[in-house]
Amino acid sequence: MAEMKDVFGQQPHPVEDDLYKEPMRKRRKSDRDQRFRAFPSVEQSALKEYEKLESRTRRVLSNTYQKLIQSVFLDDSIPNGVKYLINRLLVLIEKPTVDPIYIGLFGSTGAGKSSLINAIIQQAMFLPVSGESICTSCIVQVSSGCCAQYEAKIHLLSDQEWREELKNLTKLLHRTEELGREEADAWNRDEAVEEATWKLQMIYGNGAESKNYEELLRAKPKRKIPTSRVITLKAEEAEELSIKLDPYIRTQRRDWDGEATEMHIWPLIKHVEVTLPKSDLIPEGVVLVDIPGTGDFNSKRDEMWKKTIDKCSVIWVISDIERVSGGRAHEDLLNESIKACQRGFCRDVALVVTKADKLHLPEYLRERKAGNQAIQSQREAVLERNEMIKLQRTRILKEKLKRKLPADFKVLEASDLVYTVSAQEYWQQALLTEEETEIPKLREYVRKRLLDKKRRTVTKYVTEAFGLLLLTDSFSSTQNLPNEHLHMSVLRRFAEEKVELLEKAIGHCFACMEQPLQEGVRTARTSYRCMLRACLVRSKGNQGFHQTLKAVCLKNGIYASRTLARIDLNEALTQPIYDQIDPVFGSIFRTGKPTGSALMPHIDAFKHSLQEKMTEIGIRSGWKYDSCKKNFLIQEISAILGGLEDHILRRKRRVYESLTASVQSDLKLCYEEAAQITGKKACERMKDAIRRGVDRQVAEGMFERAQERMQHQFQQLKTGIVEKVKGSITTMLTLASSQGDGLYKELADVGSEYKEMEKLHRSLREVAENARLRKGMQEFLLRASPSKAGPPGTSL
């Protein structure tokens, strides 16, 4: 069948290879119970019920699969409908329990990301920490699992990826002429030159910075690089793994003269995955991600930096209490996080203010407004100050989010947008109680997020499985009803009409982008010189900026390092357009009432109209005596359109980034020309080349082309949605029709599996009600329990 595609947007398993595949074995009960150790007893009970529902559903699906395989095992040809059914069963059986929840800790140097993760996982010095210097040199993912040991996997750049970076590093360090003393000093102070020199020396030793690309290709690294490009470390205890891991992920000082061979491969490390065994504090299915604040000079690492941000469903912007009130770095982090809500999977952004125990009491009392209640202790001052920061930063963050996101975006309704935490006090509790450090509050947030996702995932899984068993049972019991063919034709025509209406509705949604795009382009044309100047001007003039600017050009307008703010000329030039389109773009991909520019509510309305028509036709056609057919159609349309939402979310990143991608493409020759400039006053000449190139491209319609490319991406998305809906609906109706030529055959009796699946489907409501009752009881007991007092010895 041409339309024989999995309704979740995936190709079904090839029948020739996987039709007789053994489904994966279920998890042992003891292992399943261990997964819930991080939850209190009330939440454990709910999770166990959902886990039991899911496990029993998988067993029913597996039994059904085995019966079908046995019934067609000796057949020379298998009808397409049966192939579809077997493949769908296998996909459901092997579907992951819950996709991981990625929580990104996004912050700049010294903000305390690693210290916060250490406190959350209850391991004081697990990840490297240090006052103001950079400690974690790459993306580090921390999760828990059912492994018996602590384990870390260090993923390295491939040989090709390192060659690409090596070529750029040597270009950056290449000097074609002798420099005077002042120019040489400025060169050596250039941040990009220091970074490139450091990386080459780490891999190849002192003097590597003076060699060319070909010489370094022939040079032998100081340490042997594993061919697998993965280094695996294991340990029985957390401290043991921490000691092994530290040299790989800690950024050492540039004057460091130690001999740890692990440090020699630091520039090759792409990212690190750490797995804890059966954590009592972080549940399996949650991944805490330590994300550096600025990206990376290497293209692959920088792309991974963006993708990691985009796959996070939650982003915590980490800022220490002394830097939270301003600064470009803090604003850049917030802006990048909000963009993740637009282009990625992020649905929740919060500001986590670290080191919230730090306060100089005499200074605070002097600046505190008169008339307030008298402060009796350092602890009272800290708590009061923290509450003030929460109120102030919540208001500022909410206003910022409202400017960029639609008014009904869920994060705007969050009760907690700002947390004030202290990892140090969590361990010492000399000033604050454990609860007042708000580390337990963050853990509770993580647990609730996972519990909610588990509930939604299992509900969807059981419902989808029930629809599939309805179809399976109907394969064996299908009977020709009067006027069946006529009624199916009516339903097919109705579906075609509704698809046309859906196509128009999608076009209307996407057309809402036209006006803000036009306004953004007009603004960009008048303001681009100011935006460009802001990126190219430095407070110290060109001193120490020459090679950094060259690095920007070598990377097509983008430079990311671990110490400087990220430079992205393409993003800066298109920012006026994004300022105009962001609220509308967010509205298109939001969930809510089917009005205005929202896309998903129109798809939901399409689903409901089809389901209502199916019910109506089912009653008229006699399906009341064959409820399997009606129920199958209703359940299957939900599965089809549920998978469509995932497809849209994956594609929206490409749509959103099409503006900057277009500008970067148009300016590629300009960047290449500027990168070739050397000699005296090279920095100023490079700036002039960039300005001229941008002026020329703007005059030739650079921003208008960017607008056209984004509109083209929207058109492609619309076409893809309509084609997927048409194909899936056609397949569904063909399968449901008992008149299909050669579609059905006598199959094994799955009546008992259907009855068990029906019971499981009914159990969903009971499990949800039990969870609500337990939650209500827990909240009552918490309100009735006395609050904890502060730690002793906290008075003035």
Side-chain angles (χ1 to χ4, degrees):
M1 250 186 224
E3 302 88 357
M4 194 62 69
K5 219 176 202 184
D6 183 67
V7 293
F8 294 99
Q10 304 169 0
Q11 284 292 100
H13 292 271
V15 173
E16 292 75 17
D17 297 333
D18 291 340
L19 194 61
Y20 306 110
K21 180 177 176 181
E22 181 74 19
M24 64 181 182
R25 295 180 180 177
K26 64 181 182 180
R27 187 191 296 264
R28 289 179 305 176
K29 186 176 185 299
S30 59
D31 289 341
R32 293 201 306 270
D33 291 343
Q34 291 291 342
R35 297 174 63 200
F36 308 135
R37 290 172 56 180
F39 292 88
S41 58
V42 170
E43 293 173 359
Q44 279 191 29
S45 298
L47 278 166
K48 286 177 181 178
E49 285 188 338
Y50 281 118
E51 186 85 356
K52 186 178 179 181
L53 261 180
E54 182 190 350
S55 177
R56 288 175 62 188
T57 299
R58 286 187 193 275
R59 188 180 67 230
V60 171
L61 292 173
S62 185
N63 291 343
T64 305
Y65 176 88
Q66 296 293 345
K67 281 189 174 182
L68 292 188
I69 289 296
Q70 290 170 11
S71 68
V72 299
F73 186 76
L74 298 177
D75 290 5
D76 293 330
S77 63
I78 304 173
N80 285 333
V82 180
K83 289 179 185 178
Y84 174 87
L85 180 61
I86 290 174
N87 284 329
R88 286 272 275 113
L89 280 167
L90 190 57
V91 167
L92 263 185
I93 292 167
E94 298 191 338
K95 195 172 185 178
T97 303
V98 175
D99 290 330
I101 295 176
Y102 289 90
I103 299 179
L105 284 78
F106 193 35
S108 53
T109 303
K113 302 185 297 296
S114 298
S115 296
L116 181 56
I117 290 177
N118 289 341
I120 291 173
I121 67 175
Q122 194 80 12
Q123 300 290 344
M125 297 297 290
F126 189 72
L127 297 180
V129 296
S130 175
E132 298 298 318
S133 62
I134 307 170
C135 272
T136 311
S137 61
C138 59
I139 293 172
V140 180
Q141 300 181 2
V142 180
S143 61
S144 69
C146 286
C147 53
Q149 295 178 302
Y150 291 84
E151 183 177 297
K153 288 188 176 180
I154 301 157
H155 299 264
L156 308 180
L157 294 172
S158 68
D159 188 58
Q160 182 179 350
E161 289 165 354
W162 172 244
R163 283 170 181 256
E164 179 199 334
E165 178 165 9
L166 187 61
K167 187 176 292 184
N168 284 321
L169 292 173
T170 51
K171 282 181 182 178
L172 205 56
L173 295 173
H174 181 59
R175 295 192 292 199
T176 57
E177 70 289 316
E178 289 297 320
L179 301 179
R181 184 174 178 180
E182 278 189 26
E183 290 174 316
D185 287 345
W187 171 288
N188 292 328
R189 285 194 301 271
D190 189 292
E191 200 274 344
V193 170
E194 289 185 357
E195 183 91 358
T197 301
W198 190 26
K199 285 182 176 181
L200 294 181
Q201 288 177 349
M202 274 290 170
I203 299 294
Y204 300 107
N206 292 334
E209 69 278 11
S210 61
K211 296 179 180 179
N212 61 34
Y213 175 65
E214 287 73 20
E215 289 173 329
L216 289 174
L217 281 180
R218 294 191 297 268
K220 187 178 180 180
K222 292 168 69 175
R223 178 183 168 174
K224 185 178 180 181
I225 311 301
T227 54
S228 66
R229 297 288 170 166
V230 177
I231 299 171
T232 302
L233 306 174
K234 292 185 179 182
E236 295 293 331
E237 301 294 334
E239 185 178 359
E240 183 187 352
L241 182 68
S242 178
I243 293 170
K244 291 180 178 180
L245 182 62
D246 189 284
Y248 291 98
I249 63 175
R250 180 187 291 274
T251 301
Q252 300 288 351
R253 297 189 309 272
R254 297 184 189 187
D255 59 354
W256 179 76
D257 57 358
E259 291 299 325
T261 56
E262 294 87 350
M263 268 304 299
H264 298 159
I265 66 165
W266 163 77
L268 297 177
I269 296 175
K270 191 187 295 185
H271 72 285
V272 175
E273 295 177 327
V274 179
T275 306
L276 314 176
K278 305 182 182 73
S279 171
D280 287 335
L281 300 167
I282 296 300
E284 183 181 349
V286 172
V287 183
L288 300 174
V289 192
D290 187 338
I291 307 175
T294 58
D296 196 273
F297 180 65
N298 176 269
S299 298
K300 292 296 179 183
R301 273 198 294 253
D302 197 59
E303 176 65 15
M304 184 175 182
W305 176 79
K306 271 201 168 184
K307 284 185 176 179
T308 301
I309 294 171
D310 287 349
K311 77 179 178 182
C312 291
S313 56
V314 179
I315 292 180
W316 291 340
V317 179
I318 313 297
S319 183
D320 80 47
I321 202 153
E322 294 178 344
R323 303 182 192 179
V324 73
S325 296
R328 178 183 168 185
H330 177 70
E331 288 301 309
D332 287 347
L333 292 170
L334 279 177
N335 289 333
E336 192 66 40
S337 302
I338 294 171
K339 283 179 182 175
C341 293
Q342 298 282 29
R343 70 181 182 232
F345 290 89
C346 183
R347 288 291 175 270
D348 203 350
V349 175
L351 174 62
V352 179
V353 183
T354 57
K355 307 174 187 177
D357 58 301
K358 292 173 68 173
L359 180 139
H360 186 245
L361 186 58
E363 184 179 324
Y364 177 74
L365 293 175
R366 187 178 67 247
E367 294 178 355
R368 189 168 173 265
K369 291 182 179 178
N372 289 350
Q373 185 178 353
I375 291 292
Q376 301 296 322
S377 67
Q378 176 95 4
R379 176 173 176 273
E380 287 183 9
V382 166
L383 293 174
E384 181 185 78
R385 188 274 316 273
N386 290 352
E387 192 60 34
M388 285 171 52
I389 284 179
K390 277 189 180 183
L391 292 172
Q392 292 169 358
R393 302 313 301 183
T394 296
R395 176 178 52 80
I396 293 169
L397 180 54
K398 203 164 251 186
E399 289 173 357
K400 195 174 187 70
L401 291 169
K402 282 180 179 177
R403 289 197 300 270
K404 295 285 187 178
L405 302 174
D408 61 352
F409 205 82
K410 196 171 181 180
V411 69
L412 295 171
E413 302 170 4
S415 57
D416 291 307
L417 277 176
V418 180
Y419 299 85
T420 51
V421 305
S422 171
Q424 180 171 309
E425 276 298 301
Y426 175 76
W427 300 111
Q428 297 178 356
Q429 294 184 32
L431 190 66
L432 303 174
T433 64
E434 181 176 305
E435 287 76 15
E436 287 165 348
T437 67
E438 299 204 349
I439 300 295
K441 197 172 184 180
L442 291 177
R443 288 189 190 132
E444 182 185 11
Y445 170 88
V446 170
R447 291 196 305 269
K448 284 184 176 179
R449 186 90 186 190
L450 186 65
L451 181 60
D452 182 61
K453 186 168 184 178
K454 182 71 173 179
R455 175 186 58 78
R456 288 184 283 108
T457 302
V458 172
T459 300
K460 182 178 177 181
Y461 185 76
V462 173
T463 302
E464 189 178 343
F466 179 50
L468 202 52
L469 262 294
L470 285 169
L471 175 61
T472 309
D473 191 54
S474 71
F475 264 41
S476 299
S477 60
T478 297
Q479 54 180 319
N480 292 330
L481 297 171
N483 300 318
E484 167 99 11
H485 183 66
L486 176 62
H487 290 301
M488 292 302 293
S489 297
V490 170
L491 185 55
R492 189 173 281 108
R493 285 197 302 274
F494 179 83
E496 289 170 356
E497 292 170 4
K498 286 297 178 181
V499 169
E500 289 180 8
L501 291 175
L502 177 63
E503 186 173 6
K504 290 178 181 177
I506 295 171
H508 172 73
C509 290
F510 293 169
C512 294
M513 287 293 296
E514 188 171 345
Q515 184 178 349
L517 270 170
Q518 290 173 349
E519 291 175 358
V521 167
R522 283 195 293 270
T523 306
R525 286 184 66 88
T526 59
S527 63
Y528 76 89
R529 287 192 178 96
C530 293
M531 306 299 291
L532 193 60
R533 190 182 306 117
C535 292
L536 298 180
V537 172
R538 289 290 175 269
S539 58
K540 297 180 180 179
N542 293 335
Q543 185 178 5
F545 189 55
H546 172 199
Q547 293 304 96
T548 297
L549 186 57
K550 184 172 184 178
V552 171
C553 296
L554 285 171
K555 305 302 291 183
N556 292 321
I558 301 172
Y559 177 66
S561 77
R562 290 184 310 280
T563 54
L564 289 181
R566 184 181 179 87
I567 300 172
D568 191 332
L569 302 184
N570 313 301
E571 195 171 274
L573 291 168
T574 53
Q575 191 57 50
I577 308 179
Y578 282 113
D579 289 341
Q580 291 290 334
I581 70 168
D582 273 351
V584 180
F585 190 94
S587 295
I588 289 173
F589 295 100
R590 72 183 176 186
T591 56
K593 296 179 180 178
T595 57
S597 59
L599 173 61
M600 289 312 302
H602 286 292
I603 293 175
D604 288 338
F606 168 75
K607 176 183 74 174
H608 293 313
S609 67
L610 274 186
Q611 289 174 333
E612 288 171 4
K613 190 67 175 178
M614 290 167 185
T615 301
E616 175 194 327
I617 291 178
I619 293 172
R620 283 190 295 152
S621 68
W623 287 356
K624 59 186 175 182
Y625 302 111
D626 185 14
S627 61
C628 288
K629 188 183 299 295
K630 180 193 72 175
N631 291 334
F632 159 69
L633 289 170
I634 290 174
Q635 298 290 353
E636 193 73 354
I637 193 65
S638 294
I640 289 169
L641 297 178
L644 188 62
E645 184 175 1
D646 293 337
H647 167 75
I648 291 168
L649 286 174
R650 287 192 298 270
R651 284 297 303 271
K652 76 170 183 173
R653 182 188 182 202
R654 188 184 304 174
V655 178
Y656 189 76
E657 293 186 337
S658 60
L659 293 175
T660 50
S662 176
V663 166
Q664 185 179 49
S665 175
D666 285 355
L667 293 176
K668 189 172 183 2
L669 292 177
C670 162
Y671 294 137
E672 290 174 355
E673 177 191 341
Q676 300 301 317
I677 295 174
T678 58
K680 292 194 173 184
K681 296 187 177 178
C683 190
E684 199 56 50
R685 288 160 51 212
M686 288 169 69
K687 289 181 182 180
D688 288 340
I690 294 171
R691 293 187 192 104
R692 287 194 306 272
V694 173
D695 284 340
R696 182 170 60 252
Q697 288 297 326
V698 170
E700 293 175 0
M702 178 176 74
F703 293 124
E704 288 77 8
R705 284 192 297 275
Q707 175 186 345
E708 291 171 3
R709 285 165 180 163
M710 176 171 267
Q711 289 173 323
H712 177 67
Q713 287 290 331
F714 271 114
Q715 180 61 40
Q716 283 191 321
L717 178 57
K718 183 182 81 167
T719 302
I721 291 171
V722 173
E723 287 179 353
K724 279 181 175 293
V725 170
K726 280 182 179 178
S728 298
I729 296 295
T730 300
T731 300
M732 179 193 70
L733 294 179
T734 303
L735 289 169
S737 174
S738 61
Q739 305 296 323
D741 182 26
L743 210 55
Y744 298 95
K745 64 160 280 159
E746 186 176 347
L747 295 174
D749 180 17
V750 293
S752 60
E753 283 79 11
Y754 166 70
K755 288 179 181 177
E756 186 175 355
M757 196 66 244
E758 192 175 28
K759 290 178 184 177
L760 292 173
H761 189 250
R762 285 200 303 266
S763 298
L764 279 174
R765 180 177 295 180
E766 182 182 341
V767 171
E769 287 174 354
N770 288 344
R772 282 194 293 271
L773 286 171
R774 290 192 194 96
K775 184 179 179 183
M777 181 62 71
Q778 183 185 38
E779 290 174 350
F780 171 77
L781 292 173
L782 285 173
R783 287 194 300 269
S785 64
S787 59
K788 292 185 179 181
T794 55
S795 60
L796 280 169

